[in-house]
Amino acid sequence: MFYNKPIGIFDSGFGGLTVFRSIIQQLPDHDYIYLGDTARAPYGNRSFQTIHQYTWECVKWLFEQGCPLVILACNTASAKALRTIQQKDLLNEDPAKRVLGVIRPTAEVIGDYTKTKEIGVLGTKGTVQSGSYLIEIGHFFPDVKVYQQACPLWVPLIENGEHDKPGADYFVKKYLDQVLAQSPHIDTLLLACTHYPLLLEKIKSYLPDSIQAIAQGDIVAKSLVDYLQRHPEMESSLSKNGTQKFFTTTDDTADFDHYAEIFFGEPVKSEFAEVKG
């Protein structure tokens, strides 16, 4: 149990570190605990039930460490577990605690990026199958057409350190071609997986100037700033020492530290977290 009241950041593995990095830039004084469930990653192809179980176990662990607020910095967990956690689990756990995701804050603004009113969403199989982006973007921008494309090989490429190698180009171009073939009017591509920013430069190299690729990190970070401004009771409960940035993993710490540095952009020293079912 930590004595401070940090913000919890959760992801199934490493991708959430790209969001975490943006959040720290926006809120540098707050304390944080990052938990990567690398022992059970990837989540992308698992069932709703399994993803909810794993995510809720990790959220409860972060609550036990003193976090009153947890961010699911994972599109798959946000798509398949967040609604149940918010509407059911928190009522039984502690209604004062909060769990937020990455899909809604992204959907709230993504329609502002497109001029043609046509967007392509690139995500994991689980995120695409959930239809969460279709629903959420449709809620905020009913006049925007959304086309989805699952990119199942992008995460393995990234987590095996192949994302910046020539061999990745074939699979980057393959999925881009597939989503753009759905409509000639798409002018905005949303990277709806927190791993994908590591492919951003390759993705841009295969896109014409008329099509932009949007990563989520800064969007989610700005949304969190806005949320805390609108909820002063939560903001005042969080500790702000600006020094507590703990990284934890459910698997080997040395392995986590090696890959986490790629996503976070600086050296990471993690501790083992025993998350119980």
Side-chain angles (χ1 to χ4, degrees):
M1 176 73 74
F2 293 90
Y3 291 107
N4 293 333
K5 297 293 183 184
I7 296 173
I9 311 286
F10 165 73
D11 184 41
S12 58
F14 307 101
L17 290 163
T18 63
V19 173
F20 187 18
R21 183 174 59 192
S22 294
I23 289 175
I24 289 174
Q25 290 170 353
Q26 292 283 334
L27 297 166
D29 295 333
H30 287 66
D31 298 321
Y32 301 92
I33 302 176
Y34 181 92
L35 172 60
D37 190 15
T38 47
R40 301 185 291 194
Y43 280 17
N45 295 323
R46 297 187 185 274
S47 68
F48 273 78
Q49 181 178 1
T50 298
I51 291 170
H52 168 255
Q53 176 189 334
Y54 290 175
T55 302
W56 179 233
E57 288 168 0
C58 290
V59 167
K60 286 194 295 183
W61 185 88
L62 286 166
F63 285 163
E64 290 168 359
Q65 312 315 307
C67 301
L69 172 65
V70 174
I71 310 299
L72 303 186
C74 173
N75 281 275
T76 303
S78 296
K80 291 191 170 185
L82 181 60
R83 184 177 298 273
T84 302
I85 288 173
Q86 289 179 332
Q87 296 182 354
K88 178 183 174 182
D89 298 324
L90 283 179
L91 297 178
N92 298 324
E93 175 74 19
D94 184 347
K97 293 176 180 175
R98 293 290 181 268
V99 180
L100 306 176
V102 295
I103 294 178
R104 186 180 181 91
T106 304
E108 286 178 341
V109 300
I110 193 62
D112 296 330
Y113 287 85
T114 175
K115 296 179 180 178
T116 63
K117 303 298 182 183
E118 296 198 13
I119 293 173
V121 174
L122 304 167
T124 66
K125 180 180 176 182
T127 297
V128 168
Q129 285 182 338
S130 75
S132 294
Y133 275 101
L134 292 175
I135 296 168
E136 291 292 340
I137 295 175
H139 175 73
F140 294 105
F141 300 96
D143 58 333
V144 170
K145 293 183 179 179
V146 180
Y147 304 89
Q148 297 191 106
Q149 178 61 49
C151 309
L153 292 176
W154 282 6
V155 168
L157 281 170
I158 293 167
E159 294 201 341
N160 284 286
E162 297 293 323
H163 58 283
D164 56 352
K165 306 294 194 302
D169 287 60
Y170 172 83
F171 294 103
V172 169
K173 186 175 185 300
K174 174 183 178 180
Y175 296 133
L176 291 176
D177 287 346
Q178 287 178 357
V179 69
L180 295 178
Q182 296 182 49
S183 172
H185 305 297
I186 294 172
D187 71 346
T188 303
L189 291 177
L190 171 62
L191 308 187
C193 173
T194 53
H195 280 69
Y196 295 176
L198 272 70
L199 286 170
L200 185 58
E201 293 308 311
K202 276 192 184 296
I203 290 170
K204 287 180 176 179
S205 72
Y206 286 104
L207 296 177
D209 292 339
S210 59
I211 301 177
Q212 59 182 334
I214 306 296
Q216 292 177 286
D218 290 344
I219 293 174
V220 174
K222 290 175 182 177
S223 176
L224 178 58
V225 171
D226 178 68
Y227 175 85
L228 293 176
Q229 289 174 344
R230 291 184 291 107
H231 295 83
E233 74 287 351
M234 177 59 73
E235 166 67 7
S236 63
S237 74
L238 298 167
S239 56
K240 305 173 186 67
N241 297 306
T243 56
Q244 182 172 302
K245 297 178 180 65
F246 284 100
F247 298 87
T248 58
T249 175
T250 57
D251 206 352
D252 181 71
T253 56
D255 186 65
F256 180 88
D257 295 350
H258 171 72
Y259 289 104
E261 183 174 353
I262 299 172
F263 289 84
F264 194 62
E266 60 185 70
V268 166
K269 182 66 174 177
S270 64
E271 297 178 7
F272 177 72
E274 185 176 359
V275 175
K276 298 178 181 179

